[in-house]
Amino acid sequence: MDKLFHVIEAQQFDRPLLSELFAVTKEMEEVVSRYGSNILSRRLMASLFYEPSTRTRLSFESAMMRLGGQVVTTESAREFSSAAKGETLEDTIRIAEGYSDVIVIRHYESGSARRAAEVASVPIINAGDGPGQHPTQALLDVYTIQKEIGRLDNFKIAMVGDLANGRTVRSLAYLLSKYDGVKIFFVAPRVVRMKDDIKAHLDEHGIEWEEADDLIAVARDVDVVYQTRIQRERFGDRIEDYEQARGKYVIDQTVMEALLESSVVLHPLPRVDEIVPEVDGDPRSAYFRQAHNGLYIRMALLQMVLES
Ligand code: CP
């Protein structure tokens, strides 16, 4: 099996690599419960975040430190790195690679992680590139699905919310196309429906999908509801479209009553108002467990790109 180096897009993972990653991720759960490891001591991770983040940045930094490594970081990099003086992304990467062994980057432009990888001699990990992809989120999503419902073949999932701008659902759709017997329902307001390139990819890979309007009816039929936030920051001055989309699909007690006892609700987070806090205590609300799995997946990725 080829060594994992850059992590740029979900399509680069095949089933054997996913199985290997999930096995290492499971080991990382044990490592954390034993208070960490020193396998990445003397290794240094640079995290460059040009867009806001809580989970991805903190979990990557925590992952590196849990494995004995160290971190240099810039948040709000648009403002606080030399990007503010006009430095190109390529030049920033050429500098950061001299200071670190791996670079984790979140950027506001689709394709930016690939641009970074083209000039980098150290591994680049895409932590979200605008509306493009968020592959490490999709990896933790798939790991969570396996943990929560016990399988990755033969299940039904509803992707709900901002499917046009959602990089997490794009990456997740690419990963799910690796599995058998998966059916995807797209439940989105008209202005943010799933894009045609993803639908074409699913068709090419024999994955059944359907667009639906009735969230309650879909909730009765699926194993996973994957809710997403309507992303105000992607609408620019299209305020009317944003207002039309927000609040249309909300996970509340009525949706939870429709959901099977064995099904789960996921969300990449952050949420705004698309899941009411009153359902957080329901054991089928798995989104905080999902976010915690991000630590283990990112520990496994760092170990695999730096050590294997
Ligand atoms: N899910 C996710 O990417 O969250 P953050 O934006 O907080 O990193």
Side-chain angles (χ1 to χ4, degrees), residues 49 52-57 106 127 134 137 167-168 267-270 298:
F49 276 64
S53 170
T54 298
R55 276 145 291 276
T56 312
R57 190 169 71 86
R106 169 168 290 186
H134 195 348
Q137 176 69 47
R167 57 194 174 199
T168 67
H267 189 311
L269 303 177
R298 288 166 178 138

Side-chain angles (χ1 to χ4, degrees), residues 24 27-28 31-32 34-43 60-70 295-304 306-307:
V24 178
E27 287 168 21
M28 291 303 165
V31 166
V32 171
R34 291 197 316 265
Y35 306 109
S37 152
N38 276 321
I39 55 170
L40 297 186
S41 65
R42 297 194 299 275
R43 297 301 196 113
F60 261 118
E61 294 182 3
S62 173
M64 193 65 187
M65 293 187 209
R66 292 271 193 198
L67 292 172
Q70 292 181 294
L295 171 66
Y296 312 126
I297 278 283
R298 288 166 178 138
M299 288 171 76
L301 285 168
L302 288 170
Q303 186 195 320
M304 287 172 72
L306 289 172
E307 286 296 297

Side-chain angles (χ1 to χ4, degrees), residues 73 78 98 112 138 165 206:
T73 183
R78 238 168 149 162
S112 53
N165 300 304

